[in-house]
């Protein structure tokens, strides 16, 4: 399975997680402090880190920032509350997922496997995704429409990138709020609607006359290549 590092100061929780994940087949090491965990992460190079935010020596978000300076190892944040503002900060700082306490080893194992699947898929995906005349360079963060580069804000790019990786799939506003805006407990659909409107304008379309972005009322939005216009049949044909 995976080599997992758990950074957790609670002496009751930590051994339970270590034992539970080992029973799931993982190789597990652990540390009770942020700096100790950071050193282990650098020295041992685990496949994934489970990071508690409430550590005794340094805030978990700071540990994540220091870790991100030297490694892109996937990180799952462990938080006591889903509405903890520091959770959003950790996601914005580069965390890959989160779990809310209390959680079981089986639940954590499922999150670990899901994150590692996404990481592996990301390694295999092309650097540029093309849908119709739309080309999105994920690594270079550049977008071309019918051969012409269009200028997007960072948030508009993130929104488009999330959609273009799921061509033909209806993506809910809830998913967009979590994955693009990093708001795990929800947020305003209006935020999504406004950014979709700005993005449509730059793609040369509107909600009433869509080309790439189609709203599925009450569900979300779907990105797909435009359907070619079919000439009307003539009387002779």
């Amino acid at each position: 399975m995976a080599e997992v590092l758990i950074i957790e100061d609670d002496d009751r929780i930590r051994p339970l997680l270590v034992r539970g994940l080992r029973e799931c087949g993982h190789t597990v090491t652990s540390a009770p402090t942020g700096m100790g965990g950071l050193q282990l992460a650098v020295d041992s190079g685990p496949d994934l880190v489970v990071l508690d935010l409430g550590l005794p020596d340094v805030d978990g978000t700071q540990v994540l920032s220091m870790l991100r300076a030297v490694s892109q190892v996937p990180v799952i944040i462990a938080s006591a509350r889903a509405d903890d503002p520091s959770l959003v900060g950790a996601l914005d700082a580069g965390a890959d997922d989160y779990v809310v306490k209390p959680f079981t080893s089986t639940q954590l194992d499922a999150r670990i496997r899901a994150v590692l699947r996404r990481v592996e898929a990301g390694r295999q995906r092309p650097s540029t995704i093309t849908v119709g005349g739309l080309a999105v360079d994920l690594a270079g963060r550049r977008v071309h429409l019918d051969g012409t580069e269009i200028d997007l804000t960072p948030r508009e790019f993130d929104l488009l990138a999330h959609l273009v990786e799921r061509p033909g799939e209806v993506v809910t506003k809830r998913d967009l709020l979590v994955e693009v805006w990093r708001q795990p407990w929800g947020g305003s659909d209006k935020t999504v609607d406004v950014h979709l409107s700005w993005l449509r304008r730059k793609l040369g379309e509107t909600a009433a006359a869509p080309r790439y972005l189609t709203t599925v009322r009450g569900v979300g939005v779907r990105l797909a290549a435009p359907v070619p216009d079919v000439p009307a049949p003539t009387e002779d044909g």
Side-chain angles (χ1 to χ4, degrees):
M1 296 291 284
E3 294 185 12
V4 179
L5 168 62
I6 297 174
I7 306 177
E8 164 66 64
D9 68 308
D10 193 312
D11 292 332
R12 298 167 300 171
I13 296 175
R14 189 175 63 259
L16 292 175
L17 291 178
V18 169
R19 183 169 66 248
L21 290 182
R22 284 176 177 168
E23 290 174 354
C24 291
H26 299 290
T27 300
V28 187
T29 55
S30 67
T33 65
M35 296 310 295
L38 182 64
Q39 189 64 53
L40 271 177
V42 173
D43 291 343
S44 62
D47 296 316
L48 183 140
V49 174
V50 178
L51 175 62
D52 180 34
L53 289 181
L55 297 169
D57 57 337
V58 61
D59 182 77
T61 304
Q62 292 178 283
V63 174
L64 175 61
S65 296
M66 289 185 283
L67 181 59
R68 279 288 170 263
V70 295
S71 172
Q72 290 302 310
V73 61
V75 175
I76 296 178
I77 294 297
S79 176
R81 295 187 302 163
D83 61 347
D84 187 345
S86 59
L87 178 56
V88 175
L91 291 169
D92 283 338
D96 296 270
D97 201 354
Y98 70 96
V99 287
V100 178
K101 298 177 181 180
F103 54 83
T104 66
S105 297
T106 302
Q107 291 170 330
L108 181 57
D109 173 54
R111 293 295 185 101
I112 289 171
R113 289 185 282 109
V115 167
L116 292 178
R117 282 196 302 270
R118 292 203 301 269
V119 169
E120 183 59 27
R123 290 176 180 150
Q124 297 176 355
R125 74 184 181 188
S127 60
T128 298
I129 299 178
T130 302
V131 178
L134 184 66
V136 181
D137 179 356
L138 300 172
R141 296 182 66 85
R142 301 175 68 184
V143 177
H144 287 80
L145 178 62
D146 298 327
T148 301
E149 186 167 2
I150 58 176
D151 184 30
L152 300 182
T153 67
R155 187 73 76 187
E156 289 167 352
F157 180 89
D158 291 342
L159 175 58
L160 180 61
H162 187 78
L163 294 171
V164 81
E165 290 179 302
R166 296 156 180 79
E169 177 184 337
V170 179
V171 181
T172 66
K173 293 179 182 178
R174 166 66 180 169
D175 179 72
L176 293 173
L177 285 167
V178 172
E179 298 297 333
V180 178
W181 274 267
R182 298 298 191 181
Q183 296 184 15
W185 56 86
S188 172
D189 286 357
K190 186 67 173 176
T191 298
V192 177
D193 292 337
V194 168
H195 281 78
L196 281 172
S197 176
W198 293 341
L199 184 56
R200 281 192 173 102
R201 187 180 309 151
K202 292 184 179 181
L203 294 178
E205 61 183 78
T206 66
R211 294 186 66 227
Y212 288 92
L213 301 173
T214 301
T215 297
V216 180
R217 190 174 298 276
V219 183
V221 63
R222 178 179 59 244
L223 183 145
V227 178
D229 293 330
V230 179
T234 64
E235 292 183 3
D236 294 335

